[in-house]
Amino acid sequence: KSLTYEVFFNPATNSSREPVNVTIDRYDTHARIRPSKATLPPWVVDGKVTVELLAVPGNTFIATCSGRLDPQVGDSVRVYWHYTDSTPIATLTNLPVNHLPVDVTVPLADIMTKSSGVYQMAYTYLDRAGNETTFPPYLTDVTLSLEPNPSNLQDPVVPEAPLDREDAQLNRAYVQ
């Protein structure tokens, strides 16, 4: 939109100005629709993140946020490790103006400051007018384990079962 205005200092003088751009934006970048879950890197299986996986060279923790329905210049995205966190773990500003998903790199050092446990990752988009997407979006479960796995674990040994299917079929199995 263009806005033209005049300033009157007194009845004898006036001055005109060139058009000024004004942002009128009533909806967030997702048009008030709840964003989908963030997707996790391919090396994260079933949401499980371990200290061993974080230590592998090349394993960068990238959360992929859904594309925006109404992308504009000045949009930003904030990623929260847990949706109740007051401070985002990663922020990306000046997003490209397109409908593509947005990849946000979460610093490994920041992940290592968290304690082991189950988290629900969330993200929000913020447009230049200050409109925030519906929060929380659909949440992404992340199980973080920062304690190293024991190195001397062996497969469990299961002795042969005393009864098999034939015993059960012939009514030789009794429950006491």
Side-chain angles (χ1 to χ4, degrees), residues 5 18 32 37 41 48 52 61 63 71 82 85 87-88 110 120-121 123 129 137 139 144-145 149 154-155 175-176:
Y5 64 95
E18 294 297 317
R32 296 185 182 163
K37 290 182 178 186
K48 293 177 178 52
E52 290 88 2
F61 195 96
H82 192 67
D85 292 347
T87 306
D110 292 341
Q120 292 180 307
M121 181 179 280
Y123 65 93
L139 304 173
L144 181 63
S145 176
N149 290 327
Q154 300 176 359
D155 291 334
V175 178
Q176 297 179 359

mmCIF file of all heavy atoms in Angstrom, residues 5 18 32 37 41 48 52 61 63 71 82 85 87-88 110 120-121 123 129 137 139 144-145 149 154-155 175-176:
data_model
loop_
_atom_site.group_PDB
_atom_site.id
_atom_site.type_symbol
_atom_site.label_atom_id
_atom_site.label_comp_id
_atom_site.label_asym_id
_atom_site.label_seq_id
_atom_site.Cartn_x
_atom_site.Cartn_y
_atom_site.Cartn_z
ATOM 1 N N TYR A 5 1.020 11.732 2.695
ATOM 2 C CA TYR A 5 0.595 12.571 3.816
ATOM 3 C C TYR A 5 1.158 13.970 3.655
ATOM 4 O O TYR A 5 2.122 14.189 2.930
ATOM 5 C CB TYR A 5 1.012 11.954 5.155
ATOM 6 C CG TYR A 5 2.511 11.861 5.363
ATOM 7 C CD1 TYR A 5 3.184 12.863 6.064
ATOM 8 C CD2 TYR A 5 3.245 10.786 4.890
ATOM 9 C CE1 TYR A 5 4.540 12.798 6.261
ATOM 10 C CE2 TYR A 5 4.600 10.705 5.086
ATOM 11 C CZ TYR A 5 5.243 11.719 5.777
ATOM 12 O OH TYR A 5 6.602 11.647 5.975
ATOM 13 N N GLU A 18 6.934 12.136 -0.320
ATOM 14 C CA GLU A 18 6.779 11.041 -1.282
ATOM 15 C C GLU A 18 5.993 9.903 -0.629
ATOM 16 O O GLU A 18 5.919 9.819 0.598
ATOM 17 C CB GLU A 18 8.165 10.532 -1.695
ATOM 18 C CG GLU A 18 8.979 11.543 -2.481
ATOM 19 C CD GLU A 18 8.320 11.904 -3.798
ATOM 20 O OE1 GLU A 18 7.826 10.985 -4.482
ATOM 21 O OE2 GLU A 18 8.266 13.103 -4.123
ATOM 22 N N ARG A 32 -2.966 -18.640 9.981
ATOM 23 C CA ARG A 32 -3.636 -19.141 11.189
ATOM 24 C C ARG A 32 -3.893 -20.646 11.170
ATOM 25 O O ARG A 32 -4.735 -21.156 11.883
ATOM 26 C CB ARG A 32 -4.941 -18.390 11.448
ATOM 27 C CG ARG A 32 -4.732 -16.929 11.736
ATOM 28 C CD ARG A 32 -6.027 -16.255 12.098
ATOM 29 N NE ARG A 32 -5.791 -14.839 12.324
ATOM 30 C CZ ARG A 32 -6.748 -13.948 12.342
ATOM 31 N NH1 ARG A 32 -7.989 -14.300 12.190
ATOM 32 N NH2 ARG A 32 -6.464 -12.688 12.541
ATOM 33 N N LYS A 37 4.559 -30.975 11.953
ATOM 34 C CA LYS A 37 5.729 -31.305 12.772
ATOM 35 C C LYS A 37 7.019 -30.960 12.029
ATOM 36 O O LYS A 37 7.082 -31.048 10.809
ATOM 37 C CB LYS A 37 5.782 -32.811 13.043
ATOM 38 C CG LYS A 37 4.757 -33.348 13.944
ATOM 39 C CD LYS A 37 5.005 -34.844 14.118
ATOM 40 C CE LYS A 37 4.019 -35.442 15.076
ATOM 41 N NZ LYS A 37 4.346 -36.857 15.343
ATOM 42 N N PRO A 41 16.806 -35.024 11.234
ATOM 43 C CA PRO A 41 17.775 -35.546 10.265
ATOM 44 C C PRO A 41 17.606 -37.054 10.075
ATOM 45 O O PRO A 41 17.110 -37.756 10.960
ATOM 46 C CB PRO A 41 19.133 -35.238 10.906
ATOM 47 C CG PRO A 41 18.876 -34.342 12.055
ATOM 48 C CD PRO A 41 17.442 -34.421 12.402
ATOM 49 N N LYS A 48 15.244 -40.784 18.451
ATOM 50 C CA LYS A 48 16.277 -41.068 19.455
ATOM 51 C C LYS A 48 17.601 -40.413 19.064
ATOM 52 O O LYS A 48 18.160 -40.699 18.013
ATOM 53 C CB LYS A 48 16.440 -42.566 19.632
ATOM 54 C CG LYS A 48 15.210 -43.207 20.253
ATOM 55 C CD LYS A 48 15.351 -44.704 20.361
ATOM 56 C CE LYS A 48 14.164 -45.347 21.012
ATOM 57 N NZ LYS A 48 12.875 -45.022 20.473
ATOM 58 N N GLU A 52 26.518 -40.750 21.164
ATOM 59 C CA GLU A 52 27.341 -41.381 20.116
ATOM 60 C C GLU A 52 26.976 -40.843 18.738
ATOM 61 O O GLU A 52 27.844 -40.577 17.911
ATOM 62 C CB GLU A 52 27.171 -42.910 20.134
ATOM 63 C CG GLU A 52 27.781 -43.596 21.343
ATOM 64 C CD GLU A 52 26.816 -43.684 22.526
ATOM 65 O OE1 GLU A 52 25.653 -43.244 22.395
ATOM 66 O OE2 GLU A 52 27.226 -44.183 23.575
ATOM 67 N N PHE A 61 22.602 -31.587 13.304
ATOM 68 C CA PHE A 61 21.199 -31.673 13.701
ATOM 69 C C PHE A 61 20.436 -30.555 12.992
ATOM 70 O O PHE A 61 20.530 -29.393 13.347
ATOM 71 C CB PHE A 61 21.044 -31.557 15.215
ATOM 72 C CG PHE A 61 19.692 -31.991 15.693
ATOM 73 C CD1 PHE A 61 19.501 -33.274 16.162
ATOM 74 C CD2 PHE A 61 18.601 -31.137 15.644
ATOM 75 C CE1 PHE A 61 18.252 -33.699 16.583
ATOM 76 C CE2 PHE A 61 17.355 -31.540 16.051
ATOM 77 C CZ PHE A 61 17.174 -32.837 16.522
ATOM 78 N N ALA A 63 16.711 -29.357 11.876
ATOM 79 C CA ALA A 63 15.262 -29.494 11.981
ATOM 80 C C ALA A 63 14.661 -28.844 10.740
ATOM 81 O O ALA A 63 14.957 -27.687 10.432
ATOM 82 C CB ALA A 63 14.743 -28.816 13.244
ATOM 83 N N PRO A 71 4.698 -16.492 2.464
ATOM 84 C CA PRO A 71 6.049 -16.003 2.747
ATOM 85 C C PRO A 71 6.222 -14.548 2.325
ATOM 86 O O PRO A 71 5.720 -14.136 1.284
ATOM 87 C CB PRO A 71 6.938 -16.927 1.911
ATOM 88 C CG PRO A 71 6.069 -17.373 0.784
ATOM 89 C CD PRO A 71 4.662 -17.415 1.333
ATOM 90 N N HIS A 82 12.098 -27.787 23.519
ATOM 91 C CA HIS A 82 10.856 -28.275 24.130
ATOM 92 C C HIS A 82 9.852 -27.130 24.048
ATOM 93 O O HIS A 82 10.202 -25.984 24.290
ATOM 94 C CB HIS A 82 11.081 -28.713 25.587
ATOM 95 C CG HIS A 82 9.931 -29.474 26.158
ATOM 96 N ND1 HIS A 82 9.578 -30.725 25.713
ATOM 97 C CD2 HIS A 82 9.039 -29.161 27.117
ATOM 98 C CE1 HIS A 82 8.526 -31.154 26.399
ATOM 99 N NE2 HIS A 82 8.173 -30.216 27.246
ATOM 100 N N ASP A 85 9.815 -24.256 26.481
ATOM 101 C CA ASP A 85 10.982 -23.381 26.654
ATOM 102 C C ASP A 85 10.609 -21.941 26.308
ATOM 103 O O ASP A 85 9.887 -21.693 25.341
ATOM 104 C CB ASP A 85 12.143 -23.825 25.764
ATOM 105 C CG ASP A 85 12.738 -25.158 26.182
ATOM 106 O OD1 ASP A 85 12.437 -25.627 27.296
ATOM 107 O OD2 ASP A 85 13.507 -25.731 25.377
ATOM 108 N N THR A 87 12.983 -19.677 25.616
ATOM 109 C CA THR A 87 14.016 -19.201 24.698
ATOM 110 C C THR A 87 14.236 -20.238 23.606
ATOM 111 O O THR A 87 14.417 -21.422 23.906
ATOM 112 C CB THR A 87 15.334 -18.969 25.452
ATOM 113 O OG1 THR A 87 15.091 -18.095 26.552
ATOM 114 C CG2 THR A 87 16.389 -18.374 24.551
ATOM 115 N N PRO A 88 14.238 -19.831 22.337
ATOM 116 C CA PRO A 88 14.489 -20.806 21.266
ATOM 117 C C PRO A 88 15.925 -21.314 21.305
ATOM 118 O O PRO A 88 16.832 -20.593 21.732
ATOM 119 C CB PRO A 88 14.208 -20.019 19.996
ATOM 120 C CG PRO A 88 14.307 -18.586 20.371
ATOM 121 C CD PRO A 88 13.990 -18.495 21.833
ATOM 122 N N ASP A 110 24.586 -26.553 21.975
ATOM 123 C CA ASP A 110 23.357 -26.228 22.703
ATOM 124 C C ASP A 110 22.583 -27.485 23.080
ATOM 125 O O ASP A 110 21.960 -27.542 24.135
ATOM 126 C CB ASP A 110 22.477 -25.295 21.871
ATOM 127 C CG ASP A 110 23.086 -23.910 21.709
ATOM 128 O OD1 ASP A 110 23.979 -23.561 22.501
ATOM 129 O OD2 ASP A 110 22.667 -23.187 20.785
ATOM 130 N N GLN A 120 9.678 -32.400 23.391
ATOM 131 C CA GLN A 120 8.768 -32.210 22.275
ATOM 132 C C GLN A 120 9.151 -30.920 21.564
ATOM 133 O O GLN A 120 8.866 -29.818 22.043
ATOM 134 C CB GLN A 120 7.321 -32.177 22.751
ATOM 135 C CG GLN A 120 6.885 -33.534 23.277
ATOM 136 C CD GLN A 120 5.457 -33.534 23.750
ATOM 137 O OE1 GLN A 120 5.081 -32.701 24.556
ATOM 138 N NE2 GLN A 120 4.683 -34.469 23.241
ATOM 139 N N MET A 121 9.848 -31.088 20.452
ATOM 140 C CA MET A 121 10.371 -29.957 19.697
ATOM 141 C C MET A 121 9.232 -29.216 18.999
ATOM 142 O O MET A 121 8.272 -29.818 18.527
ATOM 143 C CB MET A 121 11.380 -30.457 18.664
ATOM 144 C CG MET A 121 12.001 -29.361 17.847
ATOM 145 S SD MET A 121 13.204 -30.011 16.683
ATOM 146 C CE MET A 121 14.580 -30.211 17.802
ATOM 147 N N TYR A 123 8.321 -25.269 16.695
ATOM 148 C CA TYR A 123 8.856 -24.085 16.020
ATOM 149 C C TYR A 123 7.719 -23.113 15.750
ATOM 150 O O TYR A 123 6.544 -23.485 15.725
ATOM 151 C CB TYR A 123 9.556 -24.457 14.704
ATOM 152 C CG TYR A 123 8.646 -25.022 13.652
ATOM 153 C CD1 TYR A 123 8.066 -24.207 12.690
ATOM 154 C CD2 TYR A 123 8.348 -26.379 13.612
ATOM 155 C CE1 TYR A 123 7.226 -24.719 11.723
ATOM 156 C CE2 TYR A 123 7.516 -26.912 12.653
ATOM 157 C CZ TYR A 123 6.952 -26.082 11.719
ATOM 158 O OH TYR A 123 6.112 -26.590 10.762
ATOM 159 N N ALA A 129 5.480 -8.141 10.562
ATOM 160 C CA ALA A 129 4.483 -7.357 11.278
ATOM 161 C C ALA A 129 4.328 -7.827 12.727
ATOM 162 O O ALA A 129 3.581 -7.236 13.486
ATOM 163 C CB ALA A 129 3.130 -7.434 10.566
ATOM 164 N N PRO A 137 2.798 -25.848 17.362
ATOM 165 C CA PRO A 137 2.463 -26.610 16.169
ATOM 166 C C PRO A 137 2.347 -28.080 16.577
ATOM 167 O O PRO A 137 2.436 -28.412 17.751
ATOM 168 C CB PRO A 137 3.684 -26.386 15.266
ATOM 169 C CG PRO A 137 4.801 -26.188 16.226
ATOM 170 C CD PRO A 137 4.200 -25.464 17.411
ATOM 171 N N LEU A 139 3.794 -31.330 17.501
ATOM 172 C CA LEU A 139 5.085 -31.476 18.177
ATOM 173 C C LEU A 139 5.857 -32.684 17.656
ATOM 174 O O LEU A 139 5.275 -33.696 17.278
ATOM 175 C CB LEU A 139 4.865 -31.600 19.682
ATOM 176 C CG LEU A 139 4.085 -30.438 20.313
ATOM 177 C CD1 LEU A 139 3.767 -30.736 21.762
ATOM 178 C CD2 LEU A 139 4.852 -29.141 20.182
ATOM 179 N N LEU A 144 16.421 -37.719 24.093
ATOM 180 C CA LEU A 144 17.841 -37.384 24.166
ATOM 181 C C LEU A 144 18.514 -38.220 25.240
ATOM 182 O O LEU A 144 18.053 -38.266 26.380
ATOM 183 C CB LEU A 144 17.999 -35.892 24.479
ATOM 184 C CG LEU A 144 19.415 -35.347 24.569
ATOM 185 C CD1 LEU A 144 20.133 -35.489 23.232
ATOM 186 C CD2 LEU A 144 19.392 -33.892 25.010
ATOM 187 N N SER A 145 19.604 -38.901 24.861
ATOM 188 C CA SER A 145 20.374 -39.702 25.807
ATOM 189 C C SER A 145 21.829 -39.268 25.721
ATOM 190 O O SER A 145 22.518 -39.558 24.738
ATOM 191 C CB SER A 145 20.244 -41.199 25.473
ATOM 192 O OG SER A 145 21.064 -41.951 26.328
ATOM 193 N N ASN A 149 26.473 -45.390 25.903
ATOM 194 C CA ASN A 149 26.052 -46.775 26.089
ATOM 195 C C ASN A 149 27.230 -47.605 26.571
ATOM 196 O O ASN A 149 28.366 -47.373 26.150
ATOM 197 C CB ASN A 149 25.531 -47.349 24.764
ATOM 198 C CG ASN A 149 24.219 -46.730 24.360
ATOM 199 O OD1 ASN A 149 23.402 -46.378 25.201
ATOM 200 N ND2 ASN A 149 24.011 -46.595 23.058
ATOM 201 N N GLN A 154 26.438 -57.743 25.999
ATOM 202 C CA GLN A 154 26.333 -58.932 25.164
ATOM 203 C C GLN A 154 24.862 -59.238 24.947
ATOM 204 O O GLN A 154 24.003 -58.818 25.712
ATOM 205 C CB GLN A 154 27.013 -60.114 25.851
ATOM 206 C CG GLN A 154 28.487 -59.897 26.116
ATOM 207 C CD GLN A 154 29.102 -61.045 26.894
ATOM 208 O OE1 GLN A 154 28.423 -61.991 27.257
ATOM 209 N NE2 GLN A 154 30.387 -60.957 27.151
ATOM 210 N N ASP A 155 24.579 -59.983 23.879
ATOM 211 C CA ASP A 155 23.209 -60.388 23.626
ATOM 212 C C ASP A 155 22.727 -61.260 24.782
ATOM 213 O O ASP A 155 23.490 -62.070 25.325
ATOM 214 C CB ASP A 155 23.111 -61.176 22.319
ATOM 215 C CG ASP A 155 23.355 -60.283 21.107
ATOM 216 O OD1 ASP A 155 23.101 -59.075 21.226
ATOM 217 O OD2 ASP A 155 23.780 -60.807 20.062
ATOM 218 N N VAL A 175 -1.135 -73.926 34.349
ATOM 219 C CA VAL A 175 -0.845 -72.661 34.996
ATOM 220 C C VAL A 175 -1.286 -72.791 36.427
ATOM 221 O O VAL A 175 -2.416 -73.197 36.712
ATOM 222 C CB VAL A 175 -1.580 -71.494 34.307
ATOM 223 C CG1 VAL A 175 -1.305 -70.194 35.042
ATOM 224 C CG2 VAL A 175 -1.190 -71.407 32.867
ATOM 225 N N GLN A 176 -0.396 -72.516 37.334
ATOM 226 C CA GLN A 176 -0.740 -72.617 38.756
ATOM 227 C C GLN A 176 -0.804 -71.269 39.408
ATOM 228 O O GLN A 176 -0.194 -70.358 39.096
ATOM 229 C CB GLN A 176 0.273 -73.484 39.487
ATOM 230 C CG GLN A 176 0.257 -74.904 38.950
ATOM 231 C CD GLN A 176 1.289 -75.752 39.685
ATOM 232 O OE1 GLN A 176 1.993 -75.299 40.548
ATOM 233 N NE2 GLN A 176 1.379 -76.992 39.309
#
